[in-house]
């Protein structure tokens, strides 16, 4: 498991990660999310829904990892997307992705 997933786990333990489709979308609408991470193996409809919502509200989104990887990183099952609610963690995660 690479360093990126450890960083997601740290953000989760700090209480800066949200999950669940409705929860993430509501936080996007309230401008409380800085980054949405979508699993690469999510359905096309799910990816489009998150990307369109993020584009409209000017929130960064990225496809990274699989459902299994994201779920394992935060210790919950079947997580297709996660929202990062902290600017510092979101910048750190984007930096780790682009390395």
């Amino acid at each position: 498991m690479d360093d990126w997933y450890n960083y997601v786990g740290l953000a989760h333990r700090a209480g800066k990660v949200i999950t669940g489709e409705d929860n993430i979308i509501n936080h996007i609408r309230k401008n409380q999310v800085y980054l949405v991470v979508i699993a690469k193996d999510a359905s096309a409809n799910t990816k489009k829904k998150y990307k369109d919502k993020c584009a409209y509200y000017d929130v960064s989104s990225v496809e990274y990892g699989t459902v299994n990887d994201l779920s394992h990183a935060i210790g919950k099952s079947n997580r297709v997307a996660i929202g990062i609610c902290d600017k510092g963690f979101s910048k750190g995660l984007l930096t780790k992705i682009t390395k």
Side-chain angles (χ1 to χ4, degrees):
M1 185 170 253
D2 81 5
D3 191 36
W4 191 87
Y5 296 107
N6 292 330
Y7 202 69
V8 170
L10 180 64
H12 178 68
R13 288 187 299 278
K16 302 299 181 184
V17 174
I18 57 168
T19 61
E21 181 178 336
D22 293 335
N23 197 19
I24 292 172
I25 289 176
N26 286 336
H27 278 76
I28 291 171
R29 287 182 183 142
K30 295 176 187 175
N31 291 321
Q32 295 175 339
V33 173
Y34 297 99
L35 174 66
V36 175
V37 181
I38 309 162
K40 288 183 180 179
D41 58 349
S43 71
N45 190 30
T46 300
K47 288 179 187 179
K48 182 181 180 335
K49 183 184 301 182
Y50 283 118
K51 286 183 179 185
D52 289 348
K53 194 62 72 176
C54 287
Y56 184 79
Y57 287 97
D58 197 29
V59 174
S60 298
S61 67
V62 65
E63 285 185 43
Y64 195 77
T66 63
V67 172
N68 196 25
D69 293 338
L70 288 178
S71 300
H72 184 71
I74 63 171
K76 296 186 178 190
S77 62
N78 297 324
R79 302 301 168 178
V80 176
I82 58 172
I84 308 298
C85 299
D86 183 78
K87 269 188 185 176
F89 278 119
S90 64
K91 284 182 183 178
L93 288 172
L94 285 173
T95 302
K96 289 183 183 301
I97 289 172
T98 57
K99 274 187 180 179

